[in-house]
Amino acid sequence: MQGKLNKNVGFTLIFFAFFFLFEPSYALIDPLPDLIGHTILCIALINLADINDKISIAFKAFRMGIALSILRFISILLLDNVFSDGEATTGQLLFVFVLAIFELVIMIPGYKALFEGLLSLGIFVGGEAIYYKKREKDKNATERLYALTVAFLIIKNVVCALPEFTTLQTNGSYEFVNIMRILAIIIVAPISVIWLVNILLYFKRIEKDTPFINALSEKYTQKAENTPDFFTCRSLSLVLYTILSAFILSFDLYVENVNLIPDFAFYGIALLLVVFFRKHVHARVRLAVISTLGALVSVAGWLLEKDFFSKYAIEAIIKDFDAYNSYNLLVCLYVVKGVLFAAITYLALREIYGIFKKYIGAKHDENDSYIAEHSKSIKTRALVCFVLGILSAISSIYRVVALPYYEISRIFYYSGIITGGIQIAFVVSVCALILYIVGEIKYNYKSFL
């Protein structure tokens, strides 16, 4: 992220993204996750997005594609755990239809911006592959591929969504929905393969256009040398947003006493932070060790939680010895998770304050009033975050301890609501802290992402 040039300005990497984006989906099931394809696409386009505004718009659209892929996964979890059997078919229609509309609204302008950006780069930098024509009167390769891409996106989303509308029938036609889904895949598959082959050939031709690639590389290198603050700002903002996403995933959403957002997602992102942004992380070893332990404990706790509540009602702990032992083990795991969460929250807040001192405070060495004012503000916000983080860790333990006593008192009965309220307050406090520092970074480095 610090002005690093990808191989062939990203065109080598972009080649692999479309293997995850071409296949039709089966209802909400995406065999080759679009999440991976859009992530690869964003990584591949980051260099080009820095030197072309149109491709920057495309980059943001594909970044939203990652969010859509995550929403598709969440919708599957909701259908499996929240919707009743009678509501699941209608719920699936709703999710499939809405996500298909979102994909068309986001992806068509995204691909349009991508191809327009390549055309503009081809004009100013030179690119024979981008303007390649078989015949003089034909459209160029980029225009033809854009038209094919729009057709592919519309056909894929419309045809794959149609089987779900059988849920609106009052007769037994919904019994054949699986056959209709398979038929939709068979119809879309040839178009998907044609699109995949064409887009791979297109980017392969660009990759082989050596003068064009060299000109883009030189242009990017010049920008990296002339605007180092831009890349510092982006790198720091990405670190802070990664921390924010981790803490958002620390929120516990329970359905039938099983957490739908397991904490190992939080610890997994913390590990990724240490691996990919180690330059900005000082307590690397401690964070890595705690994150690894937290991930292992979280996996064990989640599996035990699922097993326990699939076999027993909570009342069984006073009647069944195995249930009693399993429940006590679950409480112990929650206590360990709470301690690890408090520790990683403390270390993360120290890292956040360290970013302020190193990258913002350094720009105001002679302005003591600025440092004092903003340092006090950040310390106050960080203290609020830490206190709420401790309360969040305690509340998660309190919720599981209160389960056998929910009939005794309202304090126990509403433990889930109380815990949820505390965790929401904690996430909001982290958002306020990180957005404040991101704002200061953008202001001081004169860069807006």
Side-chain angles (χ1 to χ4, degrees), residues 57-92:
I57 293 171
F59 173 83
K60 292 174 182 176
F62 296 131
R63 193 168 61 186
M64 292 181 69
I66 296 174
L68 279 179
S69 300
I70 295 171
L71 285 176
R72 182 176 282 108
F73 176 72
I74 292 173
S75 65
I76 293 173
L77 290 179
L78 290 175
L79 285 173
D80 290 342
N81 296 279
V82 176
F83 285 71
S84 65
D85 292 338
E87 299 170 335
T89 53
T90 305
Q92 179 144 298

Side-chain angles (χ1 to χ4, degrees), residues 389-423:
I390 296 295
L391 291 175
S392 180
I394 294 171
S395 68
S396 66
I397 301 169
Y398 151 68
R399 188 204 68 84
V400 74
V401 169
L403 286 176
Y405 309 106
Y406 69 95
E407 292 182 342
I408 296 176
S409 169
R410 290 186 178 180
I411 295 176
F412 298 126
Y413 186 80
Y414 293 109
S415 61
I417 296 174
I418 295 169
T419 300
I422 292 172
Q423 291 185 348

Side-chain angles (χ1 to χ4, degrees), residues 7-267:
K7 185 178 181 181
N8 290 325
V9 207
F11 283 112
T12 298
L13 185 60
I14 201 174
F15 192 81
F16 299 98
F18 302 108
F19 286 101
F20 295 91
L21 298 174
F22 84 99
E23 93 288 358
S25 59
Y26 181 86
L28 290 169
I29 300 170
D30 189 11
L32 298 173
D34 287 356
L35 172 67
I36 299 174
H38 286 129
T39 301
I40 295 173
L41 208 50
C42 286
I43 295 170
L45 291 176
I46 190 70
N47 292 155
L48 296 174
D50 289 339
I51 58 177
N52 185 274
D53 291 337
K54 285 288 185 181
I55 296 182
S56 179
I57 293 171
F59 173 83
K60 292 174 182 176
F62 296 131
R63 193 168 61 186
M64 292 181 69
I66 296 174
L68 279 179
S69 300
I70 295 171
L71 285 176
R72 182 176 282 108
F73 176 72
I74 292 173
S75 65
I76 293 173
L77 290 179
L78 290 175
L79 285 173
D80 290 342
N81 296 279
V82 176
F83 285 71
S84 65
D85 292 338
E87 299 170 335
T89 53
T90 305
Q92 179 144 298
L93 166 63
L94 176 64
F95 286 133
V96 169
F97 178 73
V98 170
L99 289 171
I101 294 295
F102 280 169
E103 183 170 347
L104 292 175
V105 169
I106 294 169
M107 289 298 110
I108 290 178
Y111 278 106
K112 182 181 180 182
L114 172 63
F115 293 126
E116 286 180 350
L118 291 173
L119 287 170
S120 65
L121 286 172
I123 291 175
F124 295 108
V125 183
E128 293 183 5
I130 289 172
Y131 284 95
Y132 171 77
K133 293 182 180 180
K134 291 183 178 179
R135 289 179 292 272
E136 186 62 30
K137 293 182 180 180
D138 290 346
K139 292 182 178 180
N140 61 52
T142 304
E143 292 169 337
R144 292 201 312 272
L145 184 58
Y146 172 63
L148 178 62
T149 300
V150 172
F152 162 68
L153 288 172
I154 292 173
I155 293 170
K156 184 183 82 163
N157 282 282
V158 171
V159 174
C160 290
L162 283 177
E164 308 310 317
F165 282 88
T166 56
T167 187
L168 301 177
Q169 299 293 322
T170 55
N171 54 32
S173 61
Y174 191 74
E175 296 175 3
F176 302 100
V177 67
N178 291 328
I179 296 174
M180 294 179 69
R181 288 170 182 162
I182 295 170
L183 182 62
I185 291 173
I186 293 172
I187 293 171
V188 175
I191 301 167
S192 300
V193 173
I194 291 170
W195 178 77
L196 176 65
V197 170
N198 277 271
I199 204 163
L200 293 180
L201 289 173
Y202 173 79
F203 282 105
K204 199 64 181 176
R205 281 197 297 266
I206 294 177
E207 186 186 1
K208 291 180 178 179
D209 190 351
T210 304
F212 179 60
I213 297 296
N214 291 339
L216 289 177
S217 301
E218 185 179 348
K219 186 173 182 178
Y220 180 83
T221 303
Q222 287 176 354
K223 177 165 184 176
E225 292 173 351
N226 295 333
T227 57
D229 281 359
F230 171 82
F231 296 100
T232 300
C233 176
R234 185 174 66 193
S235 182
L236 293 174
S237 298
L238 192 55
V239 169
L240 292 168
Y241 284 134
T242 302
I243 295 173
L244 177 58
S245 64
F247 279 117
I248 289 173
L249 288 176
S250 71
F251 179 77
D252 295 328
L253 179 63
Y254 289 93
V255 175
E256 296 180 354
N257 292 317
V258 177
N259 189 7
L260 290 185
I261 312 176
D263 287 339
F264 54 76
F266 162 72
Y267 291 108

Side-chain angles (χ1 to χ4, degrees), residues 229-230 233 363 440-449:
D229 281 359
F230 171 82
C233 176
K363 285 185 169 285
E440 288 299 310
I441 289 171
K442 290 182 178 181
Y443 174 78
N444 281 277
Y445 283 84
K446 307 296 182 186
S447 176
F448 297 89
L449 301 182

